[in-house]
Amino acid sequence: MTSLFVQEIRLSKRHEEIVSQRLMLLQQMENKFGDQNTEKASQLQAAKTAFKRNLSLLKDIEAAEKSLETRIYPTPQPEVVSLETRYWASVEEYIPKWEQFLLGRAPYPLGVENQNEAENAIQNEAQ
């Protein structure tokens, strides 16, 4: 009977040791989990800060680019803008006529006299 009692005490102590180890391991796991959460939050905060910094840098670069562009290509005079506008309007007006000529579907777009002059000029250059 004494041996059963001694064995019971030994098993009880072993049980306490196992429960103690279990509690210690659970505490370590909680600490590690808490550290991971803290690290993840820190990384998230660092990513947000980096994003804001990068956005700010991008805006600064765009502003500098615009400033340099203004210096390199200053705004043209109103007369120049007017000439450009009229030029492109003229080009757009004549595109259909020239397109048909270049595709071989229509005669020279500026009249027969000009066509003969153009052919003569080409022939003179060839000689």
Side-chain angles (χ1 to χ4, degrees):
M1 177 120 160
T2 332
S3 79
L4 288 177
F5 185 69
V6 170
Q7 191 177 14
E8 177 89 22
I9 292 174
R10 204 175 333 124
L11 288 174
S12 179
K13 286 182 182 181
R14 180 69 181 139
H15 176 72
E16 286 179 24
E17 288 174 8
I18 290 172
V19 169
S20 174
Q21 285 179 345
R22 181 178 178 271
L23 287 174
M24 187 173 65
L25 289 172
L26 284 173
Q27 187 62 42
Q28 288 176 353
M29 286 175 56
E30 285 179 14
N31 290 343
K32 186 165 186 160
F33 183 70
D35 291 346
Q36 286 175 343
N37 283 342
T38 303
E39 185 177 337
K40 191 179 284 186
S42 174
Q43 288 175 349
L44 184 61
Q45 184 61 36
K48 286 180 181 179
T49 303
F51 178 77
K52 288 179 184 177
R53 182 195 67 232
N54 291 346
L55 193 59
S56 173
L57 288 172
L58 184 61
K59 286 180 182 178
D60 290 345
I61 289 171
E62 287 173 351
E65 181 182 19
K66 191 171 185 178
S67 172
L68 288 173
E69 200 172 271
T70 305
R71 284 189 214 158
I72 294 172
Y73 305 110
T75 307
Q77 299 291 329
E79 297 86 15
V80 174
V81 172
S82 173
L83 284 172
E84 283 182 4
T85 305
R86 290 188 300 178
Y87 169 77
W88 287 113
S90 172
V91 167
E92 288 176 9
E93 177 184 340
Y94 281 96
I95 284 177
K97 295 175 186 174
W98 279 100
E99 183 178 30
Q100 294 302 313
F101 168 73
L102 293 172
L103 292 173
R105 296 181 190 156
Y108 190 79
L110 299 179
V112 177
E113 315 80 48
N114 292 338
Q115 183 178 7
N116 291 334
E117 290 174 18
E119 288 174 0
N120 290 338
I122 291 173
Q123 288 175 359
N124 289 338
E125 287 178 14
Q127 293 174 354

PDB file of all heavy atoms in Angstrom, residues 7-8 11 22 25 41 48 53 59-61 63-64 70 79-81 85 91 93-94 98 106 109 120:
ATOM      1  N   GLN A   7       3.963   5.883  -5.238  1.00  0.00           N
ATOM      2  CA  GLN A   7       3.797   5.978  -6.684  1.00  0.00           C
ATOM      3  C   GLN A   7       2.783   7.074  -7.033  1.00  0.00           C
ATOM      4  O   GLN A   7       2.973   7.830  -7.974  1.00  0.00           O
ATOM      5  CB  GLN A   7       3.361   4.617  -7.245  1.00  0.00           C
ATOM      6  CG  GLN A   7       3.405   4.530  -8.745  1.00  0.00           C
ATOM      7  CD  GLN A   7       3.034   3.137  -9.226  1.00  0.00           C
ATOM      8  OE1 GLN A   7       2.498   2.321  -8.474  1.00  0.00           O
ATOM      9  NE2 GLN A   7       3.325   2.857 -10.481  1.00  0.00           N
ATOM     10  N   GLU A   8       1.710   7.163  -6.243  1.00  0.00           N
ATOM     11  CA  GLU A   8       0.689   8.198  -6.438  1.00  0.00           C
ATOM     12  C   GLU A   8       1.306   9.577  -6.266  1.00  0.00           C
ATOM     13  O   GLU A   8       1.038  10.500  -7.049  1.00  0.00           O
ATOM     14  CB  GLU A   8      -0.448   7.982  -5.430  1.00  0.00           C
ATOM     15  CG  GLU A   8      -1.521   9.018  -5.477  1.00  0.00           C
ATOM     16  CD  GLU A   8      -2.620   8.677  -6.465  1.00  0.00           C
ATOM     17  OE1 GLU A   8      -2.796   7.511  -6.824  1.00  0.00           O
ATOM     18  OE2 GLU A   8      -3.298   9.633  -6.886  1.00  0.00           O
ATOM     19  N   LEU A  11       3.557  10.354  -9.271  1.00  0.00           N
ATOM     20  CA  LEU A  11       2.739  10.684 -10.439  1.00  0.00           C
ATOM     21  C   LEU A  11       2.114  12.071 -10.303  1.00  0.00           C
ATOM     22  O   LEU A  11       2.020  12.823 -11.279  1.00  0.00           O
ATOM     23  CB  LEU A  11       1.653   9.626 -10.644  1.00  0.00           C
ATOM     24  CG  LEU A  11       2.120   8.267 -11.167  1.00  0.00           C
ATOM     25  CD1 LEU A  11       0.945   7.285 -11.181  1.00  0.00           C
ATOM     26  CD2 LEU A  11       2.713   8.390 -12.557  1.00  0.00           C
ATOM     27  N   ARG A  22       3.509  23.029 -19.420  1.00  0.00           N
ATOM     28  CA  ARG A  22       2.472  23.420 -20.368  1.00  0.00           C
ATOM     29  C   ARG A  22       2.151  24.898 -20.221  1.00  0.00           C
ATOM     30  O   ARG A  22       2.047  25.615 -21.217  1.00  0.00           O
ATOM     31  CB  ARG A  22       1.221  22.572 -20.138  1.00  0.00           C
ATOM     32  CG  ARG A  22       0.085  22.876 -21.089  1.00  0.00           C
ATOM     33  CD  ARG A  22      -1.112  21.945 -20.829  1.00  0.00           C
ATOM     34  NE  ARG A  22      -2.202  22.248 -21.693  1.00  0.00           N
ATOM     35  CZ  ARG A  22      -3.175  23.134 -21.421  1.00  0.00           C
ATOM     36  NH1 ARG A  22      -3.171  23.780 -20.272  1.00  0.00           N
ATOM     37  NH2 ARG A  22      -4.136  23.358 -22.283  1.00  0.00           N
ATOM     38  N   LEU A  25       4.990  26.914 -21.675  1.00  0.00           N
ATOM     39  CA  LEU A  25       4.962  26.897 -23.136  1.00  0.00           C
ATOM     40  C   LEU A  25       3.836  27.769 -23.691  1.00  0.00           C
ATOM     41  O   LEU A  25       4.007  28.485 -24.684  1.00  0.00           O
ATOM     42  CB  LEU A  25       4.833  25.462 -23.660  1.00  0.00           C
ATOM     43  CG  LEU A  25       6.065  24.570 -23.481  1.00  0.00           C
ATOM     44  CD1 LEU A  25       5.733  23.120 -23.851  1.00  0.00           C
ATOM     45  CD2 LEU A  25       7.215  25.081 -24.331  1.00  0.00           C
ATOM     46  N   ALA A  41       2.443  45.090 -36.980  1.00  0.00           N
ATOM     47  CA  ALA A  41       1.925  46.452 -36.889  1.00  0.00           C
ATOM     48  C   ALA A  41       3.018  47.459 -37.213  1.00  0.00           C
ATOM     49  O   ALA A  41       2.777  48.460 -37.904  1.00  0.00           O
ATOM     50  CB  ALA A  41       1.359  46.711 -35.487  1.00  0.00           C
ATOM     51  N   LYS A  48       3.141  52.287 -44.540  1.00  0.00           N
ATOM     52  CA  LYS A  48       2.312  53.483 -44.720  1.00  0.00           C
ATOM     53  C   LYS A  48       3.177  54.734 -44.791  1.00  0.00           C
ATOM     54  O   LYS A  48       2.959  55.608 -45.633  1.00  0.00           O
ATOM     55  CB  LYS A  48       1.297  53.607 -43.584  1.00  0.00           C
ATOM     56  CG  LYS A  48       0.150  52.635 -43.663  1.00  0.00           C
ATOM     57  CD  LYS A  48      -0.811  52.827 -42.503  1.00  0.00           C
ATOM     58  CE  LYS A  48      -1.950  51.835 -42.550  1.00  0.00           C
ATOM     59  NZ  LYS A  48      -2.873  51.998 -41.414  1.00  0.00           N
ATOM     60  N   ARG A  53       5.776  58.969 -48.016  1.00  0.00           N
ATOM     61  CA  ARG A  53       7.029  59.602 -48.422  1.00  0.00           C
ATOM     62  C   ARG A  53       7.200  59.508 -49.935  1.00  0.00           C
ATOM     63  O   ARG A  53       7.536  60.487 -50.598  1.00  0.00           O
ATOM     64  CB  ARG A  53       8.211  58.927 -47.726  1.00  0.00           C
ATOM     65  CG  ARG A  53       9.557  59.581 -48.063  1.00  0.00           C
ATOM     66  CD  ARG A  53      10.734  58.708 -47.687  1.00  0.00           C
ATOM     67  NE  ARG A  53      10.748  57.522 -48.539  1.00  0.00           N
ATOM     68  CZ  ARG A  53      10.826  56.275 -48.097  1.00  0.00           C
ATOM     69  NH1 ARG A  53      10.902  56.016 -46.812  1.00  0.00           N
ATOM     70  NH2 ARG A  53      10.834  55.269 -48.935  1.00  0.00           N
ATOM     71  N   LYS A  59       5.276  63.781 -56.102  1.00  0.00           N
ATOM     72  CA  LYS A  59       4.710  65.113 -56.349  1.00  0.00           C
ATOM     73  C   LYS A  59       5.818  66.143 -56.527  1.00  0.00           C
ATOM     74  O   LYS A  59       5.731  67.014 -57.399  1.00  0.00           O
ATOM     75  CB  LYS A  59       3.785  65.514 -55.200  1.00  0.00           C
ATOM     76  CG  LYS A  59       2.468  64.781 -55.202  1.00  0.00           C
ATOM     77  CD  LYS A  59       1.590  65.215 -54.047  1.00  0.00           C
ATOM     78  CE  LYS A  59       0.287  64.428 -54.023  1.00  0.00           C
ATOM     79  NZ  LYS A  59      -0.547  64.791 -52.885  1.00  0.00           N
ATOM     80  N   ASP A  60       6.862  66.048 -55.706  1.00  0.00           N
ATOM     81  CA  ASP A  60       7.994  66.972 -55.840  1.00  0.00           C
ATOM     82  C   ASP A  60       8.676  66.811 -57.189  1.00  0.00           C
ATOM     83  O   ASP A  60       9.042  67.801 -57.838  1.00  0.00           O
ATOM     84  CB  ASP A  60       9.012  66.748 -54.712  1.00  0.00           C
ATOM     85  CG  ASP A  60       8.497  67.185 -53.353  1.00  0.00           C
ATOM     86  OD1 ASP A  60       7.480  67.907 -53.308  1.00  0.00           O
ATOM     87  OD2 ASP A  60       9.116  66.794 -52.342  1.00  0.00           O
ATOM     88  N   ILE A  61       8.849  65.567 -57.628  1.00  0.00           N
ATOM     89  CA  ILE A  61       9.494  65.309 -58.928  1.00  0.00           C
ATOM     90  C   ILE A  61       8.634  65.862 -60.059  1.00  0.00           C
ATOM     91  O   ILE A  61       9.142  66.481 -60.998  1.00  0.00           O
ATOM     92  CB  ILE A  61       9.765  63.801 -59.109  1.00  0.00           C
ATOM     93  CG1 ILE A  61      10.889  63.368 -58.173  1.00  0.00           C
ATOM     94  CG2 ILE A  61      10.102  63.479 -60.551  1.00  0.00           C
ATOM     95  CD1 ILE A  61      11.103  61.873 -58.110  1.00  0.00           C
ATOM     96  N   ALA A  63       6.499  68.310 -59.883  1.00  0.00           N
ATOM     97  CA  ALA A  63       6.564  69.776 -59.836  1.00  0.00           C
ATOM     98  C   ALA A  63       7.883  70.265 -60.441  1.00  0.00           C
ATOM     99  O   ALA A  63       7.903  71.238 -61.206  1.00  0.00           O
ATOM    100  CB  ALA A  63       6.426  70.270 -58.400  1.00  0.00           C
ATOM    101  N   ALA A  64       8.989  69.590 -60.111  1.00  0.00           N
ATOM    102  CA  ALA A  64      10.286  69.978 -60.669  1.00  0.00           C
ATOM    103  C   ALA A  64      10.298  69.777 -62.183  1.00  0.00           C
ATOM    104  O   ALA A  64      10.829  70.614 -62.924  1.00  0.00           O
ATOM    105  CB  ALA A  64      11.397  69.163 -60.014  1.00  0.00           C
ATOM    106  N   THR A  70       8.769  74.198 -68.250  1.00  0.00           N
ATOM    107  CA  THR A  70       8.379  75.581 -68.499  1.00  0.00           C
ATOM    108  C   THR A  70       9.594  76.413 -68.885  1.00  0.00           C
ATOM    109  O   THR A  70       9.511  77.282 -69.748  1.00  0.00           O
ATOM    110  CB  THR A  70       7.701  76.186 -67.251  1.00  0.00           C
ATOM    111  OG1 THR A  70       6.609  75.347 -66.891  1.00  0.00           O
ATOM    112  CG2 THR A  70       7.187  77.574 -67.522  1.00  0.00           C
ATOM    113  N   GLU A  79       0.770  84.953 -81.294  1.00  0.00           N
ATOM    114  CA  GLU A  79       0.846  84.959 -82.761  1.00  0.00           C
ATOM    115  C   GLU A  79       1.290  83.583 -83.274  1.00  0.00           C
ATOM    116  O   GLU A  79       0.780  83.083 -84.275  1.00  0.00           O
ATOM    117  CB  GLU A  79       1.832  86.026 -83.264  1.00  0.00           C
ATOM    118  CG  GLU A  79       1.428  87.443 -82.928  1.00  0.00           C
ATOM    119  CD  GLU A  79       1.894  87.887 -81.546  1.00  0.00           C
ATOM    120  OE1 GLU A  79       2.757  87.219 -80.946  1.00  0.00           O
ATOM    121  OE2 GLU A  79       1.381  88.901 -81.068  1.00  0.00           O
ATOM    122  N   VAL A  80       2.257  82.987 -82.571  1.00  0.00           N
ATOM    123  CA  VAL A  80       2.761  81.674 -82.980  1.00  0.00           C
ATOM    124  C   VAL A  80       1.670  80.623 -82.814  1.00  0.00           C
ATOM    125  O   VAL A  80       1.467  79.774 -83.692  1.00  0.00           O
ATOM    126  CB  VAL A  80       4.020  81.297 -82.169  1.00  0.00           C
ATOM    127  CG1 VAL A  80       4.456  79.876 -82.473  1.00  0.00           C
ATOM    128  CG2 VAL A  80       5.144  82.279 -82.426  1.00  0.00           C
ATOM    129  N   VAL A  81       0.954  80.691 -81.718  1.00  0.00           N
ATOM    130  CA  VAL A  81      -0.141  79.740 -81.480  1.00  0.00           C
ATOM    131  C   VAL A  81      -1.195  79.884 -82.571  1.00  0.00           C
ATOM    132  O   VAL A  81      -1.706  78.887 -83.102  1.00  0.00           O
ATOM    133  CB  VAL A  81      -0.757  79.954 -80.075  1.00  0.00           C
ATOM    134  CG1 VAL A  81      -2.002  79.107 -79.889  1.00  0.00           C
ATOM    135  CG2 VAL A  81       0.263  79.662 -78.993  1.00  0.00           C
ATOM    136  N   THR A  85      -2.265  77.003 -85.272  1.00  0.00           N
ATOM    137  CA  THR A  85      -3.668  76.578 -85.376  1.00  0.00           C
ATOM    138  C   THR A  85      -4.148  76.653 -86.816  1.00  0.00           C
ATOM    139  O   THR A  85      -4.771  75.714 -87.329  1.00  0.00           O
ATOM    140  CB  THR A  85      -4.553  77.453 -84.468  1.00  0.00           C
ATOM    141  OG1 THR A  85      -4.045  77.399 -83.139  1.00  0.00           O
ATOM    142  CG2 THR A  85      -5.996  76.993 -84.484  1.00  0.00           C
ATOM    143  N   VAL A  91      -3.848  71.943 -93.044  1.00  0.00           N
ATOM    144  CA  VAL A  91      -3.408  70.567 -93.303  1.00  0.00           C
ATOM    145  C   VAL A  91      -4.598  69.628 -93.258  1.00  0.00           C
ATOM    146  O   VAL A  91      -4.778  68.783 -94.144  1.00  0.00           O
ATOM    147  CB  VAL A  91      -2.316  70.142 -92.290  1.00  0.00           C
ATOM    148  CG1 VAL A  91      -2.082  68.645 -92.349  1.00  0.00           C
ATOM    149  CG2 VAL A  91      -1.028  70.900 -92.542  1.00  0.00           C
ATOM    150  N   GLU A  93      -7.638  70.301 -93.804  1.00  0.00           N
ATOM    151  CA  GLU A  93      -8.533  70.571 -94.924  1.00  0.00           C
ATOM    152  C   GLU A  93      -8.056  69.862 -96.195  1.00  0.00           C
ATOM    153  O   GLU A  93      -8.857  69.341 -96.962  1.00  0.00           O
ATOM    154  CB  GLU A  93      -8.594  72.086 -95.162  1.00  0.00           C
ATOM    155  CG  GLU A  93      -9.437  72.492 -96.343  1.00  0.00           C
ATOM    156  CD  GLU A  93      -9.372  73.990 -96.592  1.00  0.00           C
ATOM    157  OE1 GLU A  93      -9.011  74.747 -95.664  1.00  0.00           O
ATOM    158  OE2 GLU A  93      -9.666  74.392 -97.726  1.00  0.00           O
ATOM    159  N   TYR A  94      -6.748  69.819 -96.407  1.00  0.00           N
ATOM    160  CA  TYR A  94      -6.206  69.243 -97.642  1.00  0.00           C
ATOM    161  C   TYR A  94      -5.911  67.743 -97.554  1.00  0.00           C
ATOM    162  O   TYR A  94      -5.660  67.115 -98.571  1.00  0.00           O
ATOM    163  CB  TYR A  94      -4.940  69.989 -98.076  1.00  0.00           C
ATOM    164  CG  TYR A  94      -5.251  71.282 -98.772  1.00  0.00           C
ATOM    165  CD1 TYR A  94      -5.252  72.483 -98.077  1.00  0.00           C
ATOM    166  CD2 TYR A  94      -5.578  71.301-100.130  1.00  0.00           C
ATOM    167  CE1 TYR A  94      -5.555  73.676 -98.706  1.00  0.00           C
ATOM    168  CE2 TYR A  94      -5.877  72.488-100.768  1.00  0.00           C
ATOM    169  CZ  TYR A  94      -5.872  73.677-100.052  1.00  0.00           C
ATOM    170  OH  TYR A  94      -6.174  74.842-100.686  1.00  0.00           O
ATOM    171  N   TRP A  98      -5.336  65.114-100.878  1.00  0.00           N
ATOM    172  CA  TRP A  98      -4.028  64.490-101.095  1.00  0.00           C
ATOM    173  C   TRP A  98      -4.092  62.983-100.891  1.00  0.00           C
ATOM    174  O   TRP A  98      -3.403  62.223-101.571  1.00  0.00           O
ATOM    175  CB  TRP A  98      -2.968  65.101-100.169  1.00  0.00           C
ATOM    176  CG  TRP A  98      -2.452  66.400-100.697  1.00  0.00           C
ATOM    177  CD1 TRP A  98      -2.811  67.643-100.319  1.00  0.00           C
ATOM    178  CD2 TRP A  98      -1.472  66.556-101.728  1.00  0.00           C
ATOM    179  NE1 TRP A  98      -2.133  68.580-101.033  1.00  0.00           N
ATOM    180  CE2 TRP A  98      -1.289  67.937-101.915  1.00  0.00           C
ATOM    181  CE3 TRP A  98      -0.749  65.677-102.528  1.00  0.00           C
ATOM    182  CZ2 TRP A  98      -0.416  68.459-102.845  1.00  0.00           C
ATOM    183  CZ3 TRP A  98       0.141  66.195-103.455  1.00  0.00           C
ATOM    184  CH2 TRP A  98       0.302  67.566-103.620  1.00  0.00           C
ATOM    185  N   ALA A 106      -7.568  59.938-107.550  1.00  0.00           N
ATOM    186  CA  ALA A 106      -7.976  61.279-107.972  1.00  0.00           C
ATOM    187  C   ALA A 106      -6.780  61.962-108.630  1.00  0.00           C
ATOM    188  O   ALA A 106      -5.631  61.569-108.421  1.00  0.00           O
ATOM    189  CB  ALA A 106      -8.453  62.079-106.755  1.00  0.00           C
ATOM    190  N   PRO A 109      -4.210  67.324-106.745  1.00  0.00           N
ATOM    191  CA  PRO A 109      -5.225  68.133-106.079  1.00  0.00           C
ATOM    192  C   PRO A 109      -5.168  69.628-106.323  1.00  0.00           C
ATOM    193  O   PRO A 109      -6.137  70.326-106.077  1.00  0.00           O
ATOM    194  CB  PRO A 109      -5.003  67.845-104.589  1.00  0.00           C
ATOM    195  CG  PRO A 109      -3.619  67.342-104.494  1.00  0.00           C
ATOM    196  CD  PRO A 109      -3.306  66.701-105.812  1.00  0.00           C
ATOM    197  N   ASN A 120       7.358  68.582-114.599  1.00  0.00           N
ATOM    198  CA  ASN A 120       8.512  69.173-115.269  1.00  0.00           C
ATOM    199  C   ASN A 120       9.668  69.355-114.298  1.00  0.00           C
ATOM    200  O   ASN A 120      10.828  69.108-114.626  1.00  0.00           O
ATOM    201  CB  ASN A 120       8.154  70.528-115.914  1.00  0.00           C
ATOM    202  CG  ASN A 120       7.235  70.339-117.109  1.00  0.00           C
ATOM    203  OD1 ASN A 120       7.192  69.255-117.701  1.00  0.00           O
ATOM    204  ND2 ASN A 120       6.489  71.380-117.454  1.00  0.00           N
TER     205      ASN A 120
END
